[in-house]
Structures are given as structure tokens and as C-alpha cells.
Amino acid sequence: MDPTATFIKRFGDLVTLLRVDPGNDAAQDLALAAAASAVQTGPIELEAGIAWTQIPDDMPLKARMLARQVDRLRIEAGADPDELHALARALAHDVTPLPITPNVTIELVRLLAPPAQPPLPGPVTTGPGGGSGPGPSLERRIPVERRQFEDRRRQAHGRFRGIDRRRGPDRRTTGERRVHLVRGQQAQIARLRDGLAWATRTEAWEEALHAVHGLVLLAPRVPEAERRMFGIEARRGLSRVMIDGILTVAEYDLGVRSEAMDVLRWLGLDAVEVLLERLRRGEALGVRVFIYDVLGGMPEAYRMVRPMLRSPDPREVRHGTAILARLGVPEAVGLLSALVGHPDELVRAAAVHALGELHGFPVAIPLRDALRHPSARTRAAAGQAVSTWRGGELAELLIAAVRDERDRDTWQGLVVALGSIGSAGSCEALAEIALTGRRLLRRSGYNTGQRLAAVAALGLAGNVNGVATLQRLARDGDGVVGYAADRMLQAEGRRAG
């Protein structure tokens, strides 16, 4: 199945639902989840193309891109669902500003020519014949290639090619350009601090966020001798109530989350305390993911997150595993491997999922042990983690686990995870399951339900390996297996257009 076609279909459905049926939350969540899963494996680029007189009903995304004058969209691999939701909401609306997020690049339609300016009023001169006409100053000059300075003057010495910092008489009386820049910067900092003080008094937290973000952008340009004191004074002026208000604004407005993330990471440990307190109080899924991403980019948060893994509250331990996976520190492998033996089933699953996100560390042994865990849910979580780690490089572990698994539901989950990898080895293992039936004299095969599950899993591959294996099953498969593979190929052809 082509990820681009899937994304166009599901993301277009999400934009249509947000425009015509904004109250259908269940359908919107399904479309958003399908669109987010389509961009997990690689980036996707979409072009609006030329404007048509009438756009067909099955191309809602193209219609909205042309309506919002969007020429090209690029969604990076692993884009956050919140970013996709903000983009879909902006495309569905007619005046909502298009969001600017790290994983989404938007190119608008470029005008071929700037709009014509009205003629400037001026005196009308009289032509040679007495009538009105353009004067000599308005006549078009004949284009002649002008000589350069070196052609007009013969100098006895070479010209200075370096940087002349004192060019002009005003530079010698008022100082260097750097002095002007520093004075303008100080005036801008003073204006931002006044706006921040007003926003604090009136509890206008969105205005406070914009003011603090302006200070954050100015911090690297402050002179080095004053930069440290500037940061200390700016952080000291932000109270805990203001940080909590900024976080509240970011929870309800997706458009300011990028600014809030920059501000919270710049604040450091003061913001870490507020974020962890919000997690302990319990927040919705979208807000939790935003807090995870903020803390995942703050290495100084590690010493405050590590004690959460020893908390008696299982929910707090799950929060710690999610943050630890995003931090990507070397100690995460050992800490998360120890949680695979936790008595709480949800904690074990969260730890295994976190191990699958540590792409830069060796996690093969912990994931192999998790695939052999007595708990069926832990084994299923380990199968999903194996399918996501480095694009499925540990597929051999999953193939061996499928052969030894005896729980029906867990076996189904492992087969689905094996199909989502889409490698040549995983597709070959699924083809072997689909072609090995259970007969009277051979009890080691698979029943019809298991063979059809393997065929359905091949449809999740979405690449050349999956299509080639389905074609082989449609040709060599017997009975329902060949029929199911043929139907999967027909559905793949319809999705591809």
C-alpha cells in the first residue's frame, strides 16, 4: 500500500470532516490516526498542481490546497498528530492562519507579477507641438552598457577590498554600527519587558508568551559579556504562575505550541517542575504528547525524570518511560529493561514501547526477552516495538516469535507487526504461513483463519515486497488464500489510482 496515496485519502477525509462535520470526533480521530501512521516510514510531498475549472469530489485535499493558495506540502517522517491536526484545521477553514511547525513545510503559490501600482500624481508637461505629453524626464532612456569604475579611471594604486567600518562622515561622529545595533536591541528588550509586565498584571498569558518568546529570540544576539546576566534576569522575572499560564495557552491553542516549546525549553528546570506537575495531575492524550516532546528536548530534565521510574504510582512510571524514550540517554536501556519485569502490565507495555523508540542503542536482548515474557500483552507490545526499531531490523526475532506463539490474539498482533515491516524476509515468512495449510496428515500447518490473517498483513507492507508476495499468493495460493490475495491486489490498485 502506497503511503502517499493513503495519506492523501485519509488526510483529505480529515480536512473534509473538519469542514462539513466538525462535531464528528470519532471519525476525525480515525482519519488522523491513519494519516499519522502513513508518515511514520518516510516523508511525503504533495503538490496542488494547476487550478481546474471543476475539481472532482474525490479530491478534497487538492481543492482545499488551491483554495488556501498552497502550492506544495512536505510532511517529514514521524510528524506529530498534533501538527497534522493543526494543518488540517487550517486547510478546512478559510481564514485560519496556516501553522508553522518543525515537521511540516508549506510553500504558497507565488504570484507571477506584483500588482500594478497607480501612477504617481505629478505635473503634466507640454510636448513640442503644444499638446500634453511626457516631458524629457519621463522619456525612456536607451539601454546602454555603462562602464565600470576601473574603465573610467586609471588608478596608480589598488583599491581596498576589506571591510570599511567607518564609511561616511556620520560614522566618525556617532560611533560604529555595532553601537547602533546594541542601542536598538536594548530598546527592543525594554519594550518586551514592559509588555511582559502588563501581560502579567492583566493575566493575558498569550501576550506574555509572545513577549517571552521575543526575549528568547534576542538572547543569542546579546553581547557575550551581558548574555549570562540577561538570561538570569529574564528567568527570574517569570513566576511559576506565568509558566503555568503559558502552558495552559499551549494546551488549547495548537498554533502557539511551537513558541511555547521554545520558551519552556529555554526556562530549564523551572519549567520542568511545572510540566511534571501537570503530568501527575492527569491530562488528555494530546497534551501529554506535547509535554513529552518538550521534556524530551531538555537533557537537564533527566535527573528529575529518573525518580519517576521508582514511583509506587504506575501512571507516573509510564510517564517516566515515555519521557526517557524521547531523551535518548545511554542509561535508558538499562532502566527500561528493568521495568520489563514490573508487576503492572501497563508499565511493562510502556517500557517495551519505549525500548522500541531508542533507535541509537542496542536493545535486541531486552526485546528478545520481552517476546518470551509469560504475559501475552507484553509479548504483543514487544512485537510492535520490534517492528518500529530502526525500520524492522530485528525482524528475525519477530519471525521466530510467530512460530512459537500459542496465544491466538497475541499471534494475530505479531503477524500484523510483521506485515508492517515490509522487508523481504518478513514478507517471505508471511507467504510461508499463507501457503502452509493444515491437513489430515500434516498437523503442523496453519488453519484458514491464520492463513488469511497473513494475507491481510501483507497488505500493510505498502511497498514492492508486499505487492510481489501478494501476486505470488494470487498465482500459487489455493482456494480462499488465492482469492483473498487477488482481492488485496485489486484494493491496492484502486488506492494507487
Side-chain angles (χ1 to χ4, degrees):
M1 181 169 54
D2 185 14
T4 302
T6 303
F7 180 82
I8 293 174
K9 177 67 172 62
R10 299 307 180 189
F11 192 70
D13 294 343
L14 176 60
V15 173
T16 304
L17 288 170
L18 289 172
R19 185 168 180 84
V20 303
D21 192 7
N24 195 349
D25 296 335
Q28 294 174 17
D29 292 341
L30 290 176
L32 178 60
S37 63
V39 296
Q40 293 299 318
T41 56
I44 291 179
E45 290 190 7
L46 306 178
E47 292 185 358
I50 60 175
W52 294 355
T53 304
Q54 183 176 3
I55 300 178
D57 296 336
D58 59 345
M59 300 181 67
L61 184 57
K62 175 183 174 64
R64 293 311 304 165
M65 289 175 66
L66 292 174
R68 295 307 305 271
Q69 296 185 355
V70 176
D71 183 36
R72 185 190 302 270
L73 286 176
R74 178 177 175 85
I75 295 90
E76 301 296 339
D80 190 77
D82 292 335
E83 297 177 320
L84 298 178
H85 190 267
L87 175 61
R89 186 175 296 278
L91 290 176
H93 204 265
D94 293 330
V95 295
T96 300
L98 296 171
I100 300 176
T101 57
N103 293 320
V104 178
T105 304
I106 302 175
E107 294 184 11
L108 299 179
V109 177
R110 298 181 180 179
L111 298 177
L112 296 179
Q117 299 293 336
L120 297 176
V124 179
T125 61
T126 304
S132 62
S137 61
L138 300 181
E139 293 180 357
R140 182 177 299 176
R141 296 183 177 180
I142 300 176
V144 178
E145 184 178 359
R146 301 187 61 184
R147 294 179 299 167
Q148 300 297 324
F149 180 82
E150 290 80 1
D151 300 330
R152 296 195 299 268
R153 296 290 187 272
R154 292 183 178 179
Q155 298 182 355
H157 56 84
R159 297 182 61 192
F160 176 67
R161 302 293 183 180
I163 299 175
D164 188 4
R165 292 186 176 275
R166 291 186 179 271
R167 186 177 303 163
D170 59 330
R171 295 292 185 177
R172 296 188 177 275
T173 57
T174 60
E176 299 289 350
R177 178 174 179 270
R178 175 179 172 82
V179 177
H180 294 285
L181 291 177
V182 171
R183 288 176 181 174
Q185 188 182 83
Q186 291 174 350
Q188 187 176 2
I189 291 174
R191 289 193 298 269
L192 289 173
R193 285 179 173 172
D194 292 341
L196 181 60
W198 174 84
T200 304
R201 289 194 304 269
T202 58
E203 295 186 356
W205 303 127
E206 186 172 356
E207 300 298 330
L209 172 60
H210 296 320
V212 178
H213 189 255
L215 293 174
V216 172
L217 296 180
L218 281 175
R221 292 183 285 172
V222 174
E224 185 177 0
E226 306 172 5
R227 192 175 303 159
R228 182 172 179 273
M229 287 305 301
F230 169 78
I232 293 175
E233 293 175 358
R235 291 182 177 90
R236 189 179 298 169
L238 301 179
S239 62
R240 187 183 181 93
V241 177
M242 182 185 298
I243 299 175
D244 195 74
I246 290 175
L247 184 56
T248 302
V249 172
E251 290 177 2
Y252 294 100
D253 190 354
L254 298 178
V256 300
R257 284 193 175 181
S258 178
E259 293 185 8
M261 183 176 294
D262 295 338
V263 170
L264 293 172
R265 288 179 176 176
W266 183 74
L267 291 176
L269 293 177
D270 294 336
V272 172
E273 295 179 357
V274 179
L275 293 170
L276 293 181
E277 182 63 28
R278 282 295 184 94
L279 285 178
R280 292 187 180 98
R281 287 189 311 195
E283 297 291 345
L285 177 60
V287 179
R288 288 204 307 268
V289 173
F290 169 69
I291 295 177
Y292 293 160
D293 293 338
V294 174
L295 293 173
M298 304 173 66
E300 64 271 20
Y302 170 71
R303 60 188 183 92
M304 299 183 66
V305 173
R306 181 171 180 174
M308 298 175 64
L309 303 179
R310 298 190 296 269
S311 173
D313 186 4
R315 184 179 59 181
E316 187 171 346
V317 179
R318 295 199 300 271
H319 292 326
T321 59
I323 300 171
L324 200 61
R326 287 165 171 79
L327 284 173
V329 294
E331 297 83 356
V333 177
L335 296 173
L336 294 174
S337 300
L339 290 177
V340 177
H342 196 277
D344 188 87
E345 191 172 19
L346 296 178
V347 171
R348 293 196 302 268
V352 171
H353 284 300
L355 285 171
E357 297 179 11
L358 297 176
H359 302 285
F361 303 99
V363 296
I365 295 178
L367 290 179
R368 183 194 61 186
D369 296 338
L371 286 171
R372 301 172 181 176
H373 196 275
S375 173
R377 186 167 184 175
T378 303
R379 297 196 301 271
Q384 297 177 4
V386 169
S387 65
T388 58
W389 189 78
R390 292 187 181 179
E393 287 189 6
L394 300 177
E396 294 298 329
L397 295 178
L398 199 54
I399 294 173
V402 169
R403 294 170 181 168
D404 299 336
E405 184 58 49
R406 293 295 176 264
D407 184 78
R408 183 181 60 182
D409 296 335
T410 305
W411 189 90
Q412 293 276 356
L414 296 179
V415 168
V416 171
L418 194 61
S420 62
I421 294 176
S423 64
S426 62
C427 292
E428 182 63 28
L430 291 173
E432 182 181 354
I433 294 174
L435 294 176
T436 306
R438 183 178 298 175
R439 299 174 182 174
L440 180 62
L441 300 179
R442 185 176 63 187
R443 307 297 296 173
S444 60
Y446 300 93
N447 57 38
T448 303
Q450 292 175 322
R451 297 168 66 191
L452 293 178
V455 176
L458 284 170
L460 302 175
N463 55 15
V464 178
N465 296 325
V467 173
T469 307
L470 286 174
Q471 292 174 350
R472 171 188 167 192
L473 293 179
R475 183 181 64 252
D476 300 338
D478 55 342
V480 293
V481 172
Y483 175 76
D486 184 67
R487 294 299 300 270
M488 292 293 294
L489 289 173
Q490 294 178 9
E492 183 69 25
R494 288 193 298 267
R495 283 194 296 267

